[in-house]
Amino acid sequence: MSTSQQPVTPVVGVPAAAPEPRSAPEADGVATAAVEPRPAAEPTSLSPSRASDFMQCPLLYRFRVIDRLPEKPSEAATRGTLVHAVLERLFDDPAIRRTAPRAKAMIPGQWTRLLETRPELGELFAEDVGGERLARWLGEAEQLVERWFSLEDPTRLEPAEREMFVETELESGLRLRGVIDRVDIAPTGEVRIVDYKTGKAPRPEYSEGALFQMKFYALVIWRLKNVLPRRLQLVYLGSGDVLTYDPVMDDLARMERKLLALWDAIRQATRSGDWRPRPTKLCGWCDHQAFCPEFGGTPPVYPLSVSPGASVEDGQGRMGPV
């Protein structure tokens, strides 16, 4: 693992295939849209975001995947969505036009486009009559975009993929899926996976958790292309840091074992209906406190059938009988 604030060595890309539609928000800072309730079904796939939800709090996973409770958009998450859109579309321009002023000038138009596709985001600034808060928010997005130019030089990059939807199925039947912000391919064929983060880089003791998503993507790429990515790169626009990690095959093997164990725990919880909350400091940001027993709430009626005799976690991460 290394941390740097120096420009990253450029990698030349290859022509990209037409991107598949993004079926669910996966990238950091991407807001979650409110959805209409629909009949519940057992989960059949796992993404980095939902895997992280279950590891953080099984009940949060249930609220998002089983109950599909709506969540209010936040300024921070929506700003991340906006910044990601600008950094993706900047590469539509020829290299000579990929400048900081050009990128910042794209922000108002991308915000308008985002509102057209997600009109509920307008609620964020519904009471901002004078527009001061919106102007400040857009200015913060400009600062994040401008900082990116001190970390990477887009005039020397030709991404092979942007907002790349990936999906693969393991021998166990578990489907892994997600959306990768950017994939670079060097002239020698080496692959670099890049993810933009609009927050600050974590402290070193939390770096392994930050790399979970990237190793997940590395496993999927290896399964799909039989190629071990040469580098995993996290670009933190909030603090101006670049974290890199060069994976080895043992990393992918450990990741696959971890995901299979995680998926087994998710299936057990799905069949038993036992989704225990795991209180942490992150609970303060949760939209679902009204339904959480830790805050005196009651979860919605469980919409799936419960299998008699199913196993559940005993609160220590072990499995035991109901």
Side-chain angles (χ1 to χ4, degrees):
M1 167 84 63
S2 64
T3 304
S4 172
Q5 294 187 6
Q6 300 302 316
V8 181
T9 302
V11 181
V12 180
V14 296
E20 296 190 48
R22 185 167 188 157
S23 59
E26 296 295 342
D28 170 74
V30 178
T32 303
V35 296
E36 292 296 327
R38 50 182 175 173
E42 288 194 14
T44 59
S45 63
L46 196 60
S47 70
S49 298
R50 301 294 78 83
S52 295
D53 285 345
F54 188 84
M55 290 187 291
Q56 174 187 326
C57 175
L59 186 59
L60 174 63
Y61 176 97
R62 177 200 150 168
F63 286 157
R64 285 178 167 169
V65 178
I66 305 296
D67 299 299
R68 303 189 184 186
L69 298 181
E71 297 182 358
K72 296 179 181 179
S74 71
E75 289 187 20
T78 306
R79 184 170 53 243
T81 304
L82 177 59
V83 170
H84 275 76
V86 171
L87 298 188
E88 176 194 1
R89 295 187 179 277
L90 183 66
F91 286 103
D92 290 339
D93 289 341
I96 195 173
R97 295 194 62 198
R98 299 173 197 160
T99 64
R102 163 63 177 161
K104 291 192 292 183
M106 293 172 63
I107 290 175
Q110 289 303 313
W111 172 233
T112 299
R113 180 172 180 171
L114 191 57
L115 284 174
E116 291 173 352
T117 57
R118 303 264 305 282
E120 73 276 5
L121 296 180
E123 299 173 7
L124 288 170
F125 304 101
E127 299 179 2
D128 183 29
V129 180
E132 293 87 357
R133 191 156 56 89
L134 174 60
R136 183 172 61 252
W137 181 82
L138 291 172
E140 292 167 349
E142 287 186 2
Q143 292 174 9
L144 293 172
V145 168
E146 186 169 28
R147 184 171 290 145
W148 177 59
F149 285 82
S150 68
L151 304 173
E152 297 191 285
D153 182 358
T155 66
R156 302 174 67 192
L157 293 168
E158 292 297 337
E161 300 284 356
R162 290 170 279 152
E163 292 293 302
M164 177 186 180
F165 176 82
V166 291
E167 184 176 49
T168 190
E169 184 171 315
L170 305 181
E171 288 83 352
S172 65
L174 170 60
R175 283 192 293 122
L176 304 177
R177 62 192 306 174
V179 178
I180 301 174
D181 287 348
R182 200 179 85 216
V183 177
D184 300 329
I185 301 179
T188 55
E190 293 177 319
V191 173
R192 178 172 66 183
I193 298 175
V194 180
D195 195 75
Y196 308 121
K197 302 293 185 185
T198 51
K200 297 181 179 180
R203 295 198 299 268
E205 59 266 34
Y206 298 114
S207 60
E208 185 61 30
L211 281 171
F212 174 84
Q213 173 188 11
M214 304 304 284
K215 291 180 180 180
F216 184 109
Y217 290 147
L219 173 61
V220 175
I221 292 295
W222 178 67
R223 283 286 185 171
L224 286 173
K225 307 292 186 181
N226 197 30
V227 172
L228 173 67
R230 174 68 177 83
R231 173 154 294 181
L232 310 178
Q233 181 167 298
L234 289 159
V235 181
Y236 285 93
L237 304 176
S239 58
D241 295 306
V242 175
L243 273 61
T244 62
Y245 182 82
D246 297 341
V248 296
M249 287 304 303
D250 284 349
D251 289 319
L252 305 191
R254 283 192 294 269
M255 174 57 68
E256 184 163 338
R257 290 195 297 269
K258 181 172 185 174
L259 292 176
L260 290 175
L262 187 64
W263 187 243
D264 184 60
I266 291 173
R267 288 192 300 176
Q268 298 286 6
T270 302
R271 294 166 183 169
S272 69
D274 191 312
W275 302 88
R276 302 185 184 184
R278 187 173 297 149
T280 67
K281 294 180 180 179
L282 296 175
C283 292
W285 285 273
C286 184
D287 280 346
H288 309 306
Q289 293 180 8
F291 298 101
C292 180
E294 293 294 322
F295 292 87
T298 302
V301 175
Y302 192 55
L304 298 177
S305 299
V306 175
S307 302
S311 298
V312 297
E313 290 190 40
D314 67 0
Q316 301 297 322
R318 298 184 296 267
M319 305 304 296
V322 174

